[in-house]
Amino acid sequence: MAIPMQLEALTAISPIDGRYHHKTRELAAYFSEMGFIRYKVKVEVEYFIALCEAGIPALAAITEDDYDAMRILYREFSLEDARRVKEIEVVTNHDVKAVEYFLKEKFATISPVLDQAKEYLHFGLTSQDINNTAIPMMLRDAMYDQMLPGFRDVLKRLEALAEEWKDIPMLARTHGQPASPTLLAKEIMVFHARLSDHVNELAQQNYPGKFGGATGNFNAHFVAFPETDWHDFAGKFLAKTLGLRRSRPTTQIDHYDGISRIFDNLKRINTILIDLSQDAWLYVSLDYFKQKVVATEVGSSAMPHKVNPIDFENAEGNLGVSSTLLEFMSRKLPVSRLQRDLTDSTVLRNAGTALAHTWLALQSLLKGLSKLEVNRAMIASDLEANWAVVAEAIQTILRRENYPNPYEALKALTRGKGKLDESAIAAFIEGLEVSDAIKAELRAIRPENYFGRGDWR
């Protein structure tokens, strides 16, 4: 029989709120139930103030001091406030109506004027006018306060590593096999360039919000105040007060194409970071990188020598979970039956979980990158053991000199012949029917200096 448990980190079902709570708690201000309620309170309060500023006669007595008092309700929103909203929701069985009733209670305590005007709370709106503005504000604020700085920290770390290791030649591997050498720093900057493109795109995303009443037409607003241009009102309210771009036209809910675009953007960033994590893991396995040892840490419960690349593995796993959620949400959210169904509501409550897994991955990835130490001796040894990679250079110079069948000659020398050393290459060059000057040019080519000029500086 299941044992009832009080909710805390050790009893939470989700590892985001359990094992990893100390690493993800920064996101709770945005995506927790309390955070979500606070954003809904903000929308309701600011909408009420916007109605006051629109010149509705019944609200003429409300002053700037009242505005300040109302804004305190979301600026100083407390855990006790959130609990009161949830108590009301037990009765209403409706989360947004509970917020409305909570605010009516608060208005009564602020001033008689606000108490008298409280029926203008949630005036003419449907719940999605609140949810479809609160959620994009949550996403936007979490993105700018947490996620974008986290991505930029990875970019800065990659830049620092590239600068530190800028002159280290390294054997490349295509199809897992030795290939034309490259520079370690250039390979790092490949990830920097890819990540930078998508992070910049994410920073420029617009955050859309729906605001238009029960079916998107402001039916109730126009029947009450037909002379007011409510569409103009909504556009300005979202842009100037909430910092959102109004989706228009809509059904009862936002069509979510904009949020889907943001989730797809995040998913592409995750994909690049998975690629980076896997490559870092592979370079550790090749002994190109060593990992700084923390004396108190245990790599394996059975093998004392192990220093496992767990940070890159944790990053890869969390990025995969995040991308799975993001992909599902970006595919599902834009699809809703007729003017709406409720599937979007429960799905969107997982947006914070998706971002939290990426946030965990960023912390693991940064930790892993900070522990890397380049093993110059191993990288140099691998180059020295693969002299066959200069065959490309030799045959290309021979092509330049119009030497007969140069590719075929190098193919016969290198393919399927096992490891070739410097002496084997030197003997081949010596046997070529070319000038001494060309032979000298060919002898100067070595695995450690044949790395071209990577376009990354």
Side-chain angles (χ1 to χ4, degrees), residues 5-21:
M5 293 185 178
Q6 292 293 320
L7 179 62
E8 58 174 75
L10 287 173
T11 61
I13 293 174
S14 168
I16 294 300
D17 294 316
R19 179 180 178 86
Y20 303 124
H21 174 70

Side-chain angles (χ1 to χ4, degrees), residues 73 174 220 251 441:
L73 296 176
T174 58
T251 61
E441 183 181 2

Side-chain angles (χ1 to χ4, degrees), residues 161-171 181-188 288-289 373-380 383 447-449 451 456-457:
L161 291 177
E163 178 61 27
E164 183 181 350
W165 300 334
K166 61 185 176 183
D167 297 320
I168 301 177
M170 178 182 76
L171 185 70
T182 184
L183 287 170
L184 175 56
K186 186 227 105 176
E187 299 308 315
I188 290 171
Y288 281 16
F289 292 141
E373 293 179 333
V374 68
N375 187 351
R376 291 174 182 263
M378 184 61 198
I379 291 175
L383 283 168
E448 66 267 22
N449 65 19
F451 51 75
W456 60 274
R457 294 182 188 272

Side-chain angles (χ1 to χ4, degrees), residues 12 27 37 44 64 75 91 136 147 153 158 199 202 214 247 250 271 321 359 414 435 455:
L27 297 178
I37 295 170
E44 292 280 14
E64 291 282 348
R75 288 173 178 165
V91 178
M147 304 304 295
D153 284 344
L158 293 176
V199 170
L202 183 62
S247 298
T250 67
T271 297
V321 173
W359 183 246
T414 60
S435 68
D455 184 19

Side-chain angles (χ1 to χ4, degrees), residues 111-348:
S111 73
V113 174
L114 283 179
D115 187 34
Q116 190 174 12
K118 64 187 177 185
E119 287 307 319
Y120 275 88
L121 275 166
H122 203 71
F123 179 80
L125 300 183
T126 187
S127 59
Q128 288 310 100
D129 295 315
I130 307 303
N131 290 331
N132 283 172
T133 47
I135 288 171
M137 284 198 295
M138 291 159 53
L139 283 171
R140 179 201 61 207
D141 292 350
M143 211 68 70
Y144 282 97
D145 295 346
Q146 300 293 330
M147 304 304 295
L148 283 167
F151 293 136
R152 288 171 179 143
D153 284 344
V154 173
L155 288 169
K156 290 174 186 174
R157 185 62 189 157
L158 293 176
E159 288 173 7
L161 291 177
E163 178 61 27
E164 183 181 350
W165 300 334
K166 61 185 176 183
D167 297 320
I168 301 177
M170 178 182 76
L171 185 70
R173 280 178 166 78
T174 58
H175 309 279
Q177 306 301 307
S180 299
T182 184
L183 287 170
L184 175 56
K186 186 227 105 176
E187 299 308 315
I188 290 171
M189 291 305 289
V190 168
F191 289 105
H192 183 281
R194 294 171 64 196
L195 183 60
S196 181
D197 282 348
H198 292 292
V199 170
N200 289 339
E201 181 181 337
L202 183 62
Q204 296 167 18
Q205 291 280 6
N206 289 313
Y207 288 80
K210 177 266 174 180
F211 208 79
T215 56
N217 308 315
F218 280 120
N219 302 41
H221 291 74
F222 278 111
V223 78
F225 296 102
E227 301 304 318
T228 300
D229 187 342
W230 289 106
H231 289 294
D232 181 68
F233 168 92
K236 291 176 180 176
F237 171 58
L238 265 64
K240 295 180 179 180
T241 303
L242 304 185
L244 304 175
R245 174 183 56 80
R246 184 178 174 231
S247 298
R248 179 179 181 186
T250 67
T251 61
Q252 186 179 98
I253 62 173
D254 188 49
H255 42 65
Y256 294 122
D257 295 333
I259 286 180
S260 179
R261 187 178 298 114
I262 293 165
F263 288 168
D264 284 339
N265 194 166
L266 280 168
K267 189 173 59 138
R268 290 194 298 273
I269 290 173
N270 285 351
T271 297
I272 294 165
L273 294 178
I274 287 173
D275 201 17
L276 171 60
S277 299
Q278 290 183 346
D279 273 16
W281 187 97
L282 287 165
Y283 287 133
V284 170
S285 74
L286 291 169
D287 206 20
Y288 281 16
F289 292 141
K290 293 186 178 297
Q291 298 177 96
K292 296 174 185 175
V293 175
V294 179
T296 58
E297 291 185 356
V298 174
S300 166
S301 62
M303 296 172 281
H305 70 283
K306 296 289 288 294
V307 183
N308 296 327
I310 58 172
D311 299 307
F312 300 111
E313 294 167 345
N314 285 337
E316 180 183 347
N318 279 296
L319 290 164
V321 173
S322 174
S323 289
T324 298
L325 290 169
L326 291 168
E327 190 281 328
F328 168 70
M329 288 190 290
S330 71
R331 174 167 46 86
K332 185 272 160 290
L333 287 171
V335 180
S336 183
R337 296 170 184 85
L338 304 179
Q339 280 65 55
R340 90 152 299 187
D341 62 45
L342 197 65
T343 52
D344 61 310
S345 177
T346 190
V347 167
L348 272 172

